[in-house]
Amino acid sequence: MAKIAGALPVIAVGNREIRRELARKSGADYVFEPNDPKLKEKIVKISSQYGNSGANVVIETSGSVDALISAINYTGKRGRIALNGCNWGIPEKPIDLYKIHLNGIELIGVHDSTRMPYNSAPGNWTAKKDFMTILGLMEKKRIDVSSLRSNIVSAEKAPEIYGRLLNDRQFPLGVIFDWSQYW
């Protein structure tokens, strides 16, 4: 989606090989592991080729406080961090708020409940507009989501699936619940 929106370069960081491989297949320009000791240095070097001092936009989806701290460290001046994961709990390491102030970094909460309910506006679309855009991109074959779909299971297996999602680091990315038996 970042590539379609014109992001250049697209840098993916993930702690699971299955996700890093999907990022490669989906066209990420660079793919790294979060525990790479030179991660910040690499991101700054790559972004400097485009006149930036770090990442312009970071989309943090893991919910890990450590990932948020890392994101703050490699976000450039006046960059934005979209918090999509649920960053629960008290961090073991302090979050250096001064880095946010000093670099003018914006932290943006992007949970579904923050969307406008009726009218879309630049940068804040309704759920319907999001869905229509995604479906349109799929229809025009600008995105291929088939690699995200790994299993189709009965909705009755939801507790088991969510348990595996929490505990199995190799769990597939896209499980679809079949609700057809309920209607």
Side-chain angles (χ1 to χ4, degrees), residues 73-127:
N73 286 329
Y74 52 72
T75 298
K77 287 200 175 278
R78 292 171 296 288
R80 296 176 306 261
I81 301 172
L83 297 173
N84 190 39
C86 298
N87 301 87
W88 296 90
I90 299 170
E92 293 181 19
K93 297 179 250 174
I95 296 176
D96 187 350
L97 298 177
Y98 189 65
K99 286 182 182 178
I100 296 169
H101 293 296
L102 182 64
N103 290 312
I105 296 171
E106 288 183 68
L107 294 176
I108 305 165
V110 293
H111 272 223
D112 188 55
S113 63
T114 65
R115 289 199 260 192
M116 298 174 72
Y118 304 109
N119 296 317
S120 290
N124 197 346
W125 289 4
T126 63

Side-chain angles (χ1 to χ4, degrees), residues 43-93:
I43 291 174
V44 169
K45 182 178 180 182
I46 292 165
S47 67
S48 70
Q49 297 171 17
Y50 298 88
N52 303 315
S53 59
N56 283 334
V57 177
V58 175
I59 303 170
E60 199 318 277
T61 61
S62 74
S64 161
V65 176
D66 286 339
L68 172 58
I69 292 169
S70 294
I72 292 167
N73 286 329
Y74 52 72
T75 298
K77 287 200 175 278
R78 292 171 296 288
R80 296 176 306 261
I81 301 172
L83 297 173
N84 190 39
C86 298
N87 301 87
W88 296 90
I90 299 170
E92 293 181 19
K93 297 179 250 174

Side-chain angles (χ1 to χ4, degrees), residues 8-179:
L8 184 67
V10 173
I11 302 170
V13 179
N15 63 1
R16 292 175 58 189
E17 179 56 36
I18 190 171
R19 292 182 181 185
R20 289 192 303 272
E21 184 57 31
L22 183 58
R24 285 182 197 95
K25 287 179 181 176
S26 298
D29 299 299
Y30 302 90
V31 180
F32 299 114
E33 293 186 37
N35 59 357
D36 181 336
K38 295 189 176 191
L39 180 59
K40 179 181 177 180
E41 180 182 319
K42 289 176 180 180
I43 291 174
V44 169
K45 182 178 180 182
I46 292 165
S47 67
S48 70
Q49 297 171 17
Y50 298 88
N52 303 315
S53 59
N56 283 334
V57 177
V58 175
I59 303 170
E60 199 318 277
T61 61
S62 74
S64 161
V65 176
D66 286 339
L68 172 58
I69 292 169
S70 294
I72 292 167
N73 286 329
Y74 52 72
T75 298
K77 287 200 175 278
R78 292 171 296 288
R80 296 176 306 261
I81 301 172
L83 297 173
N84 190 39
C86 298
N87 301 87
W88 296 90
I90 299 170
E92 293 181 19
K93 297 179 250 174
I95 296 176
D96 187 350
L97 298 177
Y98 189 65
K99 286 182 182 178
I100 296 169
H101 293 296
L102 182 64
N103 290 312
I105 296 171
E106 288 183 68
L107 294 176
I108 305 165
V110 293
H111 272 223
D112 188 55
S113 63
T114 65
R115 289 199 260 192
M116 298 174 72
Y118 304 109
N119 296 317
S120 290
N124 197 346
W125 289 4
T126 63
K128 181 178 180 181
K129 177 108 181 193
D130 282 345
F131 297 144
M132 297 307 292
T133 299
I134 296 292
L135 291 172
L137 291 168
M138 290 166 61
E139 178 185 42
K140 300 290 183 193
K141 304 212 183 308
R142 291 185 59 193
I143 60 172
D144 177 12
V145 297
S146 62
S147 61
L148 297 176
R149 184 186 65 238
S150 54
N151 296 16
I152 300 174
V153 300
S154 167
E156 292 175 348
K157 293 190 175 193
E160 173 192 336
I161 296 299
Y162 282 109
R164 288 184 59 203
L165 183 62
L166 286 170
N167 299 308
D168 182 355
R169 301 304 293 163
Q170 298 305 313
F171 190 72
L173 293 176
V175 175
I176 298 171
F177 292 118
D178 178 359
W179 293 91

